[in-house]
Amino acid sequence: MSHSSLTKVICTLGVKSRTVPELVALLEAGMNVARFDFSWGSMAYHTKTLANLREAMKQTKILCATMVDTRGSEIGVQLAPEDVTSFDAAAPKSQLVLEQGSRVTLTTDLSVAPSAAFLPVNNPDLVNFVSPGDDVFVGQYLFTGSESSSVYLKVDEVDVRSGSVHCTCKNSAKLSGVLLTVQVSNKGDDLPCLSAWDERVIREWLVPNRVDFISLSYCPDAQSVNECRAILADAGAANVGVVAKVERLKALRNIDEIIAAADGVVLSRGNLGLDMPPEKVFLSQKMVLFKCNQAGKPAVVTRVVDTMTDTPRPTRAEATDVANAVLDGADAIMLGAETLRGDFAAEAVEVVRRICRQAEKVFDHEGYYQQQLPASRVSAGMITQSEALASSAVRAASKVSAAMIVVFTRTGRTARLVSKYRPNMPVVSLVIPRIEQNSIRWILRGEQAARRGLLNRGVVPLLANPTNSDMHALLRVVFDYAKKNETLETGDRVVVIQKVGTTSVVKVVTVDGV
């Protein structure tokens, strides 16, 4: 069931998705990557959630990658305390009622209690780039434009000395939740991409907990990606994948360099929707996904079934939106409030999976393959050896109607490259780990390489026994696993990529009944 669709699902954990039973339900529904959003919550809070996730993985025997989402230059209004004991209890009770035409002050003084008149923000730089006449959006659903759950403010006056921004409400709204997001339209590009809090999280939480990905919020350019990599390397986590979040117009202008520098891209359509007219958002989605597909980098789409935070079914428009994201080339769908604090977290994952599967059935695999491998590049000798191998395997699998592609790998890179060509069958990344010894103990290297494949469309990572180098025996393990999950049947054909000596080969094998 966890592989019911080739498109992956990322779930944000916390509040209503952090106990072991809740996490077991999410894993069985099809969660591939667990996202820990450090724009709210303490390290102790997220540590408890991660411990529960690992226990749920043991119980279900389902592999799940982990992702840290940075705070970055995000500006927020904290409505509830962050400590572990009161965090959950405070979340649903906090609510502010703002009336159209009323005055409200955004203050950088965090000692001020949140109210309808004062909203304390967590970033003191706010007063340095906001000007009278600017539009400011505050709320949890501000990205969807819901008039009842987000407020639209017009800045009247900025008092830098007192750290206050005086505004007028342009609509009536009820603001509730734990953290409200503050977005100033087309402003804030000069704020640092990684805050001091983010660097602390990297060193004190991400590294010790062996997290697989870091999602770089409000990433403006390739330089920010490289700076993040430098911090990770210095902290001893050079193998962590850096995923850039495209949330502002500046990121769109620098999209080519960002894709080249990052290990993947998250298209944050909610924030982008505040920086551009709504009729332009779909163009940015198609452009970013197309460029990511061409580069073979995972592309993630957000804000898809927001109504499932409170309802058991998505709207027709949301269901169509998910399907179109798959048809546009998305590798993964990211769920936020739907799983963070929604009443139907597991149901949301199941619904998204089913919609993705239907879209995959009508995906133009042949047309996409030709787009990725144009004849001009082939004739000009512009295809690398790895790409030639991966594309040949996908072509062979298509010709023989293979049920699966199996890739023997140590880094997982070849399997991720196969995913670039969008085969219409699962790609099993059989990672063969290495056992190394430092001065104190033995270390197994390869787990992270396996988990990183969980962000790529169609890749199903398996970790091999490091003491068994017999390729036939390892392949038998894969076949037995696939038969148990009803992915393979006797007589099915499977395309295998493996290295024999110094030569890489692609071969077609038939599953027998033994």
Side-chain angles (χ1 to χ4, degrees):
M1 288 186 64
S2 63
H3 306 299
S4 59
S5 71
L6 300 177
T7 306
K8 303 304 178 64
V9 176
I10 303 171
C11 298
T12 306
L13 303 187
V15 186
K16 291 189 178 181
S17 56
R18 63 190 305 257
T19 66
V20 173
E22 289 167 340
L23 293 167
V24 165
L26 284 178
L27 287 169
E28 292 179 340
M31 173 175 67
N32 300 112
V33 182
R35 173 176 173 250
F36 296 83
D37 188 355
F38 272 85
S39 63
W40 57 267
S42 63
M43 290 192 200
Y45 182 87
H46 291 300
T47 298
K48 177 61 176 175
T49 306
L50 179 59
N52 289 343
L53 172 65
R54 287 178 171 157
E55 175 59 31
M57 289 168 60
K58 287 182 181 179
Q59 291 185 16
T60 60
K61 293 182 172 61
I62 295 175
L63 198 63
C64 182
T66 51
M67 174 185 288
V68 160
D69 202 296
T70 64
R71 177 183 294 172
S73 58
E74 179 174 289
I75 303 171
V77 175
Q78 192 77 39
L79 292 189
E82 290 191 337
D83 61 282
V84 175
T85 56
S86 64
F87 190 79
D88 291 346
K93 299 177 182 178
S94 305
Q95 187 176 82
L96 302 179
V97 180
L98 283 74
E99 300 294 337
Q100 183 177 1
S102 64
R103 298 268 291 178
V104 63
T105 298
L106 300 175
T107 175
T108 58
D109 184 358
L110 295 178
S111 65
V112 176
S115 66
F118 290 94
L119 298 176
V121 299
N122 59 11
N123 195 321
D125 287 323
L126 176 69
V127 295
N128 296 325
F129 63 85
V130 175
S131 307
D134 282 346
D135 296 325
V136 180
F137 302 86
V138 182
Q140 284 193 327
Y141 286 102
L142 59 91
F143 313 118
T144 65
S146 172
E147 290 300 316
S148 63
S149 58
S150 63
V151 66
Y152 163 39
L153 307 175
K154 180 70 76 172
V155 176
D156 300 320
E157 181 186 354
V158 180
D159 188 343
V160 178
R161 180 173 298 179
S162 65
S164 301
V165 179
H166 304 288
C167 310
T168 299
C169 296
K170 306 303 289 185
N171 68 289
S172 298
K174 294 181 180 179
L175 306 181
S176 62
V178 177
L179 183 75
L180 305 178
T181 303
V182 179
Q183 178 85 355
V184 184
S185 186
N186 285 309
K187 291 288 187 74
D189 284 339
D190 296 330
L191 293 175
C193 186
L194 279 176
S195 64
W197 166 249
D198 294 325
E199 292 194 32
R200 186 182 160 203
V201 168
I202 289 173
R203 297 181 186 278
E204 298 179 20
W205 200 88
L206 181 149
V207 175
N209 288 301
R210 306 185 306 280
V211 172
D212 304 302
F213 298 99
I214 182 168
S215 178
L216 203 56
S217 297
Y218 297 96
C219 177
D221 49 35
Q223 181 180 347
S224 298
V225 176
N226 295 331
E227 289 173 357
C228 181
R229 287 197 191 280
I231 293 172
L232 288 169
D234 183 65
N239 292 329
V240 172
V242 180
V243 181
K245 290 184 75 176
V246 175
E247 304 187 71
R248 292 199 173 113
L249 282 178
K250 185 175 182 180
L252 281 182
R253 297 188 183 103
N254 297 324
I255 190 63
D256 289 325
E257 66 175 56
I258 289 175
I259 292 174
D263 296 306
V265 167
V266 173
L267 183 67
S268 187
R269 301 183 302 174
N271 286 341
L272 275 176
L274 297 177
D275 276 3
M276 64 172 65
E279 66 270 18
K280 298 286 188 180
V281 176
F282 86 95
L283 289 173
S284 65
Q285 173 173 315
K286 289 182 177 294
M287 181 267 285
V288 172
L289 266 59
F290 176 81
K291 288 179 177 291
C292 285
N293 293 162
Q294 289 288 306
K297 301 289 181 74
V300 183
V301 173
T302 67
R303 311 298 303 207
V304 288
V305 288
D306 285 327
T307 58
M308 288 197 71
T309 305
D310 305 304
T311 62
R313 285 168 59 93
T315 65
R316 293 180 295 275
E318 288 174 332
T320 304
D321 185 32
V322 173
N324 281 327
V326 174
L327 297 177
D328 284 344
D331 285 77
I333 301 295
M334 180 183 288
L335 301 179
E338 303 96 324
T339 55
L340 170 69
R341 55 185 177 78
D343 294 324
F344 306 95
E347 290 86 345
V349 177
E350 290 175 356
V351 167
V352 168
R353 280 284 197 176
R354 291 201 302 268
I355 297 170
C356 289
R357 189 62 190 143
Q358 287 300 312
E360 290 161 4
K361 289 180 179 179
V362 297
F363 187 85
D364 183 8
H365 295 278
E366 181 63 28
Y368 181 92
Y369 182 91
Q370 296 299 335
Q371 175 184 293
Q372 292 294 88
L373 200 67
S376 58
R377 288 185 62 202
V378 176
S379 60
M382 297 171 62
I383 303 298
T384 64
Q385 182 178 347
S386 297
E387 276 203 277
L389 188 70
S391 60
S392 297
V394 174
R395 170 58 75 194
S398 175
K399 292 290 186 183
V400 302
S401 298
M404 178 186 296
I405 298 175
V406 178
V407 183
F408 287 84
T409 178
R410 287 200 178 274
T411 64
R413 183 177 178 274
T414 303
R416 296 195 293 270
L417 197 55
V418 170
S419 173
K420 173 184 176 180
Y421 292 92
R422 292 294 188 266
N424 61 351
M425 68 285 294
V427 180
V428 174
S429 175
L430 186 62
V431 178
I432 303 174
R434 304 182 305 277
I435 298 179
E436 299 176 357
Q437 184 184 28
N438 60 18
S439 57
I440 302 175
R441 59 193 174 98
W442 292 95
I443 300 173
L444 185 69
R445 302 287 188 188
E447 292 177 274
Q448 194 172 54
R451 291 193 299 266
R452 280 187 59 175
L454 287 167
L455 196 61
N456 295 78
R457 182 184 183 274
V459 175
V460 182
L462 292 177
L463 201 62
N465 185 338
T467 62
N468 187 353
S469 59
D470 183 358
M471 295 296 184
H472 296 288
L474 291 174
L475 199 58
R476 176 66 58 195
V477 171
V478 175
F479 288 176
D480 291 343
Y481 173 83
K483 285 180 179 179
K484 188 180 298 183
N485 286 279
E486 299 181 353
T487 307
L488 277 184
E489 296 178 356
T490 300
D492 283 343
R493 291 179 176 179
V494 175
V495 171
V496 180
I497 303 177
Q498 67 181 91
K499 199 165 188 177
V500 181
T502 59
T503 305
S504 296
V505 298
V506 175
K507 62 183 180 181
V508 180
V509 300
T510 302
V511 180
D512 58 36
V514 179

